[in-house]
Amino acid sequence: MIAVLDFGMGNIHSLLKAVSLYTNDFQFTSDLEVVKKADKIILPGDGHFDKAMQNLNEAGFSSVLKEHVAAKKSLLGICIGYQVLFEDSDETSKTGTTIPGLGLIRGKIRKFEGKQNLKVPHMGWNKLFDIKAKNTKLLKGIPNESFMYFIHSYRPVGVDRLDITANCHYYGESFPAVVEKETVFGTQFHPEKSDKTGLGILKNFIEL
């Protein structure tokens, strides 16, 4: 069974519809006991890192997610669910401070900065580059330079190169768009909003 985690972050109707294309064995749930029994977990959502971690911590999900990964069961983070996989973020109202993430992937979440001619958030279609075809399970069969749908103002920095299976170019830099570390997977973009190619990524995760 796949648990799609309901932790109060954003409209996920399109994700549930996409998952239902490939399996009926899933639940959108905030029930800790259901989540504990899941074979796979999808951590979705849009919104603010600080609020996302607050919700995860207060509901008891943070420890359950870490236990799930320690048991070698698969976890997919999407958008804000991707960012909370990392060590910390400075997306907080308190200047000069950071909010701890789940710490499942090495790296820190920081805002795009310093380019006056480019807009933040990074919103719309952009390409995946540097897909590591031999080292990826999530991107199996996904062509290099495939377009995906992004909407975010922050991105990971300081990520272990071995954990990155695809990059994206924006704001004059290359940033990790997909990470995979053992049974932990994450996409900065929304695969469920990225047409047939994006749906193929969800299918790959479901069929792991």
Side-chain angles (χ1 to χ4, degrees), residues 3 7 37 42 48 50 54 62 91 127 130 132-133 136 143 180:
F7 66 114
K37 295 175 182 177
I42 299 178
H48 197 275
D50 195 351
Q54 179 183 333
S62 294
E91 188 180 12
K127 294 179 181 179
D130 312 318
K132 296 179 182 176
T136 180
E180 302 182 38

Side-chain angles (χ1 to χ4, degrees), residues 33-140:
E33 296 307 312
V34 172
V35 176
K36 287 178 181 179
K37 295 175 182 177
D39 302 304
K40 298 184 178 77
I41 297 174
I42 299 178
L43 185 60
D46 297 308
H48 197 275
F49 188 102
D50 195 351
K51 179 62 174 173
M53 284 307 305
Q54 179 183 333
N55 290 0
L56 289 172
N57 291 332
E58 289 180 354
F61 288 137
S62 294
S63 59
V64 170
L65 290 168
K66 292 175 184 178
E67 290 167 6
H68 180 88
V69 171
K72 303 299 182 183
K73 295 194 286 187
S74 298
L75 170 65
L76 171 63
I78 296 172
C79 197
I80 196 65
Y82 169 74
Q83 294 189 359
V84 298
L85 299 176
F86 293 90
E87 295 172 286
D88 66 40
S89 174
D90 62 359
E91 188 180 12
T92 171
S93 57
K94 298 178 182 178
T95 304
T97 63
T98 59
I99 303 296
L102 295 172
L104 299 173
I105 301 286
R106 180 175 173 269
K108 302 177 183 298
I109 303 299
R110 298 294 182 264
K111 191 173 185 179
F112 287 114
E113 292 180 346
K115 306 291 182 182
Q116 299 300 321
N117 60 329
L118 292 173
K119 295 180 179 180
V120 175
H122 171 212
M123 183 168 64
W125 295 91
N126 205 343
K127 294 179 181 179
L128 298 183
F129 292 96
D130 312 318
I131 291 178
K132 296 179 182 176
K134 293 182 180 179
N135 300 323
T136 180
K137 296 177 181 178
L138 199 61
L139 301 178
K140 182 180 178 181

